[in-house]
Amino acid sequence: ISSNNFIAALHYRQQAIYRQRNMLQKPVLLRRTGSSLPSSGRDSAPSSGGAPPLSSGQQIVDPNAAIPIADENPGDSQGWSINSHKRKQSGIPLDAEAIIGRATGGEHMTAIADEEEGSFSGEGGGDMPPQQQAADAERRGSRNNMPEFSDFLSDDQGGWSFKSLVTSRGLAGITLIMVVLGLFTMHGTSNNGAPTSLSSPVAGSGTAHPQNPAAPDSKQITYGEEHMEITGEPMQHHAHEYGKIRFYDSPSKMKPLYSKGPILWDDEMGGLHLFENVCLTTNIDALRYRPQPQTGLRGLIYFTDEEEMMKNPKRCVPCSNSYAMDNWEDANKDRKVVGHKCGMNGLHAMYASSVGDWSDCIMEKENAELMEEWGQTQSPLNVTTIHFFQEPTFLLQFNALDMEESLFDMLMTYLPHWDKFLEDEDGFPFNSVISHSLEGCLSHSHNWFCEVLHQMYAFGAKTKEIPWESDDNTLYCYKELFYNQVGYQRKLDRDGLINKENFGEFRELLFRKFGLPRRRTVQGRLEDMEYEKKAHGKKNGDGDNGDADGDNTKIIFYDNKLSEQRVWNQMESLISKARELEKFQHIKFVTVDKDFNDLSVAQQARKFNEADAVIMAQGQHMANAIFAVDGTSFVEVGCKVESLIGNPKFMSLMDGKYRAVEKCNDKDGGDDNSAVCVKCKDGEDDVNFTMTPAAFEKLIDDVVASL
């Protein structure tokens, strides 16, 4: 061995001993080598230049923001509050853990030697030998610690020595070369072997949101800590499944479906039906219906391969909404025209062999014209993508424009099932809810009916609401769909389903949730009255804290003046004259000076709860009767009153009294005009109205006598 080689080997051995001694004494820092982004934390935006640029048409997708994750503990504890509107963030979540694991799976950890640690901290070489300080400075000047090829050659021979590769520096260089080669290999074979072109700057992951979370190529390229994903246009049609939802980017890729149903979920109760392998559409003409627009009409695509049905050119046309359809098997005039079953109220049947067959069928000129004539134009028309939900889903169907209709058409059908699900050990048979009647009904809407459903946990604490798809070309399909038949219990004519027990439990829950001041039952209010007397030292016969037989009888009035409905003219003038009468001095006349639509649900509930009697112009606001105490007297005033709460069966559930005051007729004549009726212009039904002072005084006498 030459003297030069011996001196070099001895010096290199000293360096190795020095490094080993310091690595045992100092903590080892780790550096990511599989990521091109700095480790800046989960929530921070990536630094500029940290990731490859994007090409046009590509975008950053953050899996944690793609689909909202539901609140795991929505809670229904004793902390009920009327001002708390915390809602579940609805939707069916992706498996975030799997996505994160997939996004970071290519990272490796390598130890940073002590000399590199010094370079990171800005310190000099410390107490290293001068030769090593020079070598360390040389390493700091380079981004990578890859050894030069000449390092493996001896100074005098110029040949290659295997022993030089066994050193720590040589092994590190070989490792780095292998990692680089591996990354180039993986990058080059992505996207079915086609290299990916990246030319646009990378946006921050905190502000990037996917336009199409179901894109089949959205799970290919990932970059380090930020778990960002680059999405391009799909090379071909695919079907993927995330969070128990199958996404098809072409109807032709969806396997044939064969529908089943309707199957009664409970034969004794009825009203709740189960369908399998069906799709839903929305009637976009319903909002133009006059005089009563609708938000609760859906089309149901029923898949079949029956030869006779496939020969029917109008198999895809739904029946009109002109006739009641209480049963799937019911026949009407439209059935003879379209040649198939019409469906049920709120859910109109359409038949097809596939989604593509349905799309082609409704685009036929004759079919499209008939659907437009009947007000049954459906959306989507041009289906390009399909979401197929694998978990049982409840179809929430109601008219969001009329809370009284919503109460009777939807809730009175569902209430007996809800009561049974609460008592059942298995709980609710569905895991998600879909509603196109109103966007975000269970998650963030403060619509009156949605608020009632939310406060009563109508579908259980763990059920998630499926958010709306912003793309009008997306069709929603369901492996299992529960349909609560609209209008099944509208008249409460199916005895035994709604009774004082389950209806009382429902109202009791609402009283607690909205924090209403007066207890629901007469017995409960008597107990409160006795407590107040003892607390304030009152004797029997003193005021009774707001019940009708004391000195604080309260009657609330509403004239519809601020709404778009028919107005009770001069109502305030009638109240002013009545206040002057001595016989009414014990009565508190209270008027609602705002439109009910401008009041929160809690405010509406409190006004009805505090009243002993309610005298109002007719309207949907009378649905607030569910918040009134038992024994309340209700009066609706109008030229022609059509009311759902006036049903004697409904009044019997809450021991209430109801009276409708309508336009005067010939029999109501008399010199004193004391007949309790209203004056309408030209005897019409849909106009504003007024009442004589004598008739108003007689009405108050009758109401007080009924309390």
Side-chain angles (χ1 to χ4, degrees):
I1 304 176
S2 65
S3 59
N4 289 335
N5 287 345
F6 178 79
I7 294 174
L10 180 61
H11 177 65
Y12 197 86
R13 178 60 179 167
Q14 290 176 346
Q15 290 180 346
I17 295 174
Y18 179 82
R19 283 195 300 270
Q20 292 176 1
R21 182 183 302 132
N22 280 275
M23 290 181 69
L24 291 174
Q25 296 174 354
K26 296 183 178 181
V28 179
L29 299 180
L30 298 179
R31 176 181 58 207
R32 294 186 183 272
T33 61
S35 172
S36 57
L37 286 177
S39 177
S40 58
R42 183 179 300 273
D43 297 327
S44 60
S47 61
S48 60
L54 289 169
S55 63
S56 60
Q58 294 180 326
Q59 59 181 337
I60 296 300
V61 176
D62 182 1
N64 296 322
I67 294 182
I69 305 299
D71 187 354
E72 296 294 337
N73 298 302
D76 188 19
S77 62
Q78 297 299 326
W80 290 322
S81 172
I82 63 174
N83 295 320
S84 175
H85 296 298
K86 180 181 179 183
R87 299 296 181 85
K88 300 184 288 296
Q89 291 299 319
S90 306
I92 301 179
L94 296 175
D95 189 347
E97 183 178 356
I99 296 176
I100 293 173
R102 185 162 59 250
T104 59
E107 296 182 350
H108 303 279
M109 295 293 188
T110 58
I112 297 178
D114 53 332
E115 60 267 27
E116 292 181 274
E117 179 185 353
S119 67
F120 290 148
S121 62
E123 300 174 357
D127 55 353
M128 290 188 292
Q131 298 88 344
Q132 185 161 338
Q133 293 182 20
D136 183 65
E138 181 181 353
R139 283 193 296 271
R140 288 197 303 269
S142 174
R143 180 176 180 179
N144 298 319
N145 296 332
M146 183 182 296
E148 299 294 337
F149 184 76
S150 60
D151 292 341
F152 298 115
L153 301 177
S154 61
D155 294 337
D156 57 338
Q157 298 177 2
W160 176 69
S161 173
F162 178 76
K163 290 183 179 181
S164 63
L165 296 178
V166 183
T167 65
S168 60
R169 188 176 182 185
L171 292 176
I174 294 173
T175 302
L176 187 57
I177 292 173
M178 294 176 66
V179 170
V180 172
L181 290 176
L183 289 175
F184 274 107
T185 302
M186 294 170 60
H187 181 70
T189 58
S190 65
N191 200 14
N192 296 328
T196 304
S197 174
L198 303 172
S199 59
S200 301
V202 177
S205 63
T207 58
H209 297 282
Q211 293 181 355
N212 184 8
D217 291 339
S218 63
K219 299 289 182 287
Q220 290 184 355
I221 305 174
T222 59
Y223 292 96
E225 284 281 318
E226 310 306 313
H227 306 299
M228 297 183 298
E229 301 181 9
I230 299 176
T231 307
E233 294 296 328
M235 301 278 298
Q236 59 185 348
H237 294 305
H238 293 281
H240 288 270
E241 180 171 340
Y242 305 115
K244 298 185 179 180
I245 310 174
R246 291 181 184 174
F247 299 90
Y248 299 90
D249 62 0
S250 172
S252 62
K253 296 299 179 181
M254 189 176 189
K255 295 181 179 180
L257 296 178
Y258 299 99
S259 302
K260 296 180 181 179
I263 303 170
L264 276 176
W265 183 253
D266 191 311
D267 294 336
E268 296 181 358
M269 294 184 183
L272 185 61
H273 304 270
L274 175 64
F275 291 90
E276 294 182 3
N277 297 326
V278 294
C279 301
L280 288 178
T281 61
T282 299
N283 184 328
I284 60 178
D285 290 333
L287 286 175
R288 296 192 289 267
Y289 284 1
R290 292 295 180 268
Q292 295 180 329
Q294 281 281 339
T295 67
L297 295 181
R298 299 289 167 270
L300 181 105
I301 304 178
Y302 199 96
F303 298 102
T304 179
D305 60 355
E306 294 180 1
E307 184 176 354
E308 289 296 325
M309 185 61 71
M310 292 303 101
K311 294 179 180 179
N312 179 7
K314 291 184 173 57
R315 60 187 179 277
C316 61
V317 179
C319 298
S320 70
N321 197 44
S322 303
Y323 306 97
M325 297 179 292
D326 295 329
N327 192 287
W328 186 264
E329 302 293 335
D330 284 352
N332 56 46
K333 294 181 180 180
D334 292 344
R335 183 170 179 175
K336 297 179 180 179
V337 177
V338 298
H340 60 73
K341 299 175 183 177
C342 290
M344 303 183 210
N345 290 330
L347 194 67
H348 296 168
M350 300 172 288
Y351 289 82
S353 60
S354 66
V355 174
D357 174 56
W358 177 79
S359 296
D360 294 340
C361 180
I362 63 173
M363 295 305 293
E364 294 289 337
K365 181 179 179 181
E366 186 176 350
N367 292 340
E369 291 177 350
L370 182 58
M371 292 170 66
E372 183 178 0
E373 177 185 346
W374 283 353
Q376 285 282 23
T377 306
Q378 303 295 312
S379 175
L381 289 175
N382 182 24
V383 179
T384 58
T385 57
I386 300 171
H387 294 181
F388 189 23
F389 295 86
Q390 302 298 295
E391 290 193 325
T393 302
F394 183 93
L395 174 59
L396 176 55
Q397 195 91 316
F398 64 97
N399 185 8
L401 303 178
D402 193 316
M403 55 195 191
E404 188 179 22
E405 282 190 13
S406 301
L407 178 66
F408 282 84
D409 284 348
M410 185 275 167
L411 195 57
M412 291 303 170
T413 301
Y414 180 67
L415 200 60
H417 297 281
W418 169 78
D419 186 58
K420 188 173 182 179
F421 293 152
L422 290 177
E423 298 177 354
D424 196 339
E425 293 182 359
D426 297 331
F428 294 80
F430 38 80
N431 301 323
S432 56
V433 175
I434 180 69
S435 173
H436 282 271
S437 296
L438 191 68
E439 184 177 3
C441 180
L442 300 181
S443 59
H444 60 268
S445 171
H446 293 292
N447 169 272
W448 184 91
F449 187 64
C450 293
E451 188 70 24
V452 169
L453 294 177
H454 171 70
Q455 295 295 346
M456 65 181 283
Y457 282 104
F459 310 106
K462 297 182 179 180
T463 301
K464 309 298 187 298
E465 182 179 10
I466 299 173
W468 280 14
E469 176 61 52
S470 57
D471 184 0
D472 292 334
N473 296 326
T474 300
L475 180 68
Y476 279 16
C477 302
Y478 306 87
K479 188 174 183 179
E480 294 182 69
L481 181 71
F482 285 83
Y483 176 60
N484 184 69
Q485 186 175 341
V486 172
Y488 179 74
Q489 269 283 75
R490 182 186 181 95
K491 298 180 180 179
L492 301 176
D493 50 359
R494 291 173 171 85
D495 295 335
L497 297 184
I498 301 291
N499 51 51
K500 281 190 175 183
E501 183 178 356
N502 56 26
F503 191 66
E505 291 176 358
F506 157 69
R507 293 177 60 222
E508 197 70 44
L509 175 60
L510 293 183
F511 274 49
R512 296 198 306 268
K513 294 285 281 185
F514 284 99
L516 300 181
R518 299 176 70 195
R519 294 176 66 177
R520 179 179 64 87
T521 63
V522 175
Q523 181 63 34
R525 296 197 301 278
L526 289 175
E527 292 175 359
D528 287 347
M529 182 180 64
E530 291 296 327
Y531 176 80
E532 289 291 331
K533 288 179 179 179
K534 292 179 180 179
H536 296 87
K538 294 182 180 180
K539 299 180 181 180
N540 292 336
D542 291 342
D544 67 347
N545 193 32
D547 276 289
D549 57 348
D551 295 333
N552 296 312
T553 300
K554 180 183 289 187
I555 304 177
I556 62 172
F557 297 84
Y558 181 61
D559 56 9
N560 268 347
K561 183 182 295 183
L562 299 177
S563 71
E564 297 179 356
Q565 302 180 38
R566 296 312 174 194
V567 177
W568 182 354
N569 289 324
Q570 301 177 1
M571 183 195 73
E572 293 183 355
S573 175
L574 295 173
I575 293 175
S576 297
K577 294 179 180 179
R579 284 195 179 111
E580 298 175 357
L581 300 177
E582 184 177 354
K583 62 179 178 179
F584 295 149
Q585 293 304 305
H586 68 286
I587 296 177
K588 290 184 177 180
F589 294 86
V590 180
T591 59
V592 180
D593 55 2
K594 290 185 178 181
D595 183 1
F596 268 92
N597 292 328
D598 296 332
L599 299 175
S600 69
V601 181
Q603 290 172 327
Q604 296 181 49
R606 193 177 186 92
K607 288 187 178 298
F608 271 71
N609 178 260
E610 292 176 342
D612 298 303
V614 176
I615 303 177
M616 296 186 176
Q618 65 169 333
Q620 59 170 324
H621 48 264
M622 296 299 287
N624 285 293
I626 60 176
F627 300 114
V629 300
D630 289 353
T632 301
S633 182
F634 302 93
V635 178
E636 275 191 278
V637 186
C639 294
K640 184 178 181 180
V641 176
E642 296 179 352
S643 176
L644 293 174
I645 73 158
N647 188 332
K649 294 181 179 179
F650 179 78
M651 283 291 114
S652 66
L653 296 173
M654 49 192 301
D655 296 326
K657 295 96 175 175
Y658 177 85
R659 180 177 181 178
V661 176
E662 298 181 313
K663 65 181 178 181
C664 302
N665 52 42
D666 296 336
K667 297 180 180 180
D668 296 325
D671 296 336
D672 58 355
N673 290 321
S674 61
V676 181
C677 58
V678 297
K679 302 289 185 178
C680 302
K681 182 179 179 181
D682 299 329
E684 297 181 6
D685 294 336
D686 193 21
V687 294
N688 297 343
F689 54 90
T690 187
M691 182 182 291
T692 65
F696 184 78
E697 180 181 343
K698 179 67 165 58
L699 174 61
I700 302 301
D701 286 334
D702 294 344
V703 169
V704 173
S706 68
L707 299 176

